[in-house]
Amino acid sequence: EIPKYRFRLREKQVDILDIIKARRSDRHFSNKPVTAADVDQLIEAFRWAPSSNNRQPWRLIFATSDSARAAFDDALSGGNKQWAPPAAVKMIIAGSPQEQADRNGLHAWMFDAGLAVENMLIQGYTMGMTIHAMGGFDEKKLLASFAIPEPFRIATVIAAGWRGTVESLPEEVRVKDEKPRTRKAPAEF
């Protein structure tokens, strides 16, 4: 028997693969406010990700005050500082190695957090948002600025907001956003 939600998706003719193929990590934002309901949708997608033994070893930290937003921006790499500061939503994705122990020398908590982030990226893109996960950040600055206790580590940071125009970006960044998305052929991996 097909679960009811799958049937509804088929009636709407939603093709998740098309959404996945279309998703982009753009870098441009509009000034349109992001509502609490919009953020709740992102969180809902995030929380339904799979995790080993359903431990869900992640935490979402939102930079909402002026000082928190400044601390978030200060911890970004130089390249990310060129485009991320205007984002309406700034998130830190932290995880606990103690809540999801390493297996075979691999950081299982990081893998679990990555699955949840992908859910959020797809949801945000589908909503019409620019939502971009970043690896260019200073973890020590973030841990200190946001008083994140041990054993938590930072998996990634995310800038999100409604899509703007690529023309609003500095030239160096605009070139990145205008590049067509490419992927390796399956035979290459």
Side-chain angles (χ1 to χ4, degrees), residues 163-178:
R163 284 189 200 121
T165 62
V166 73
E167 293 79 22
S168 66
L169 294 169
E171 177 66 25
E172 179 182 336
V173 180
R174 184 171 52 233
V175 169
K176 292 177 186 178
D177 266 22
E178 290 175 334

Side-chain angles (χ1 to χ4, degrees), residues 21-111:
K21 286 180 178 180
R23 190 208 59 78
R24 292 185 57 96
S25 295
D26 289 324
R27 297 167 184 85
H28 47 83
F29 302 99
S30 74
N31 293 329
K32 179 181 171 185
V34 176
T35 68
D38 298 327
V39 173
D40 287 347
Q41 279 192 278
L42 297 176
I43 293 170
E44 195 65 8
F46 185 93
R47 80 182 193 96
W48 281 102
S51 65
S52 181
N53 294 311
N54 198 29
R55 289 204 175 122
Q56 304 166 53
W58 47 63
R59 302 295 187 282
L60 295 173
I61 300 160
F62 291 85
T64 55
S65 70
D66 289 343
S67 61
R69 292 173 64 78
F72 181 98
D73 292 345
D74 182 56
L76 296 177
S77 67
N80 289 334
K81 285 180 183 178
Q82 291 181 317
W83 61 269
V89 179
K90 298 174 186 219
M91 291 177 257
I92 299 167
I93 312 302
S96 172
Q98 288 182 356
E99 289 178 21
Q100 193 66 284
D102 290 355
R103 293 197 178 142
N104 303 317
L106 303 174
H107 303 296
W109 71 271
M110 180 80 81
F111 179 73

Side-chain angles (χ1 to χ4, degrees), residues 130-146:
T130 287
I131 182 163
H132 193 115
M134 297 171 270
F137 59 88
D138 184 323
E139 182 182 33
K140 288 180 183 177
K141 278 187 180 180
L142 289 171
L143 292 170
S145 296
F146 289 87

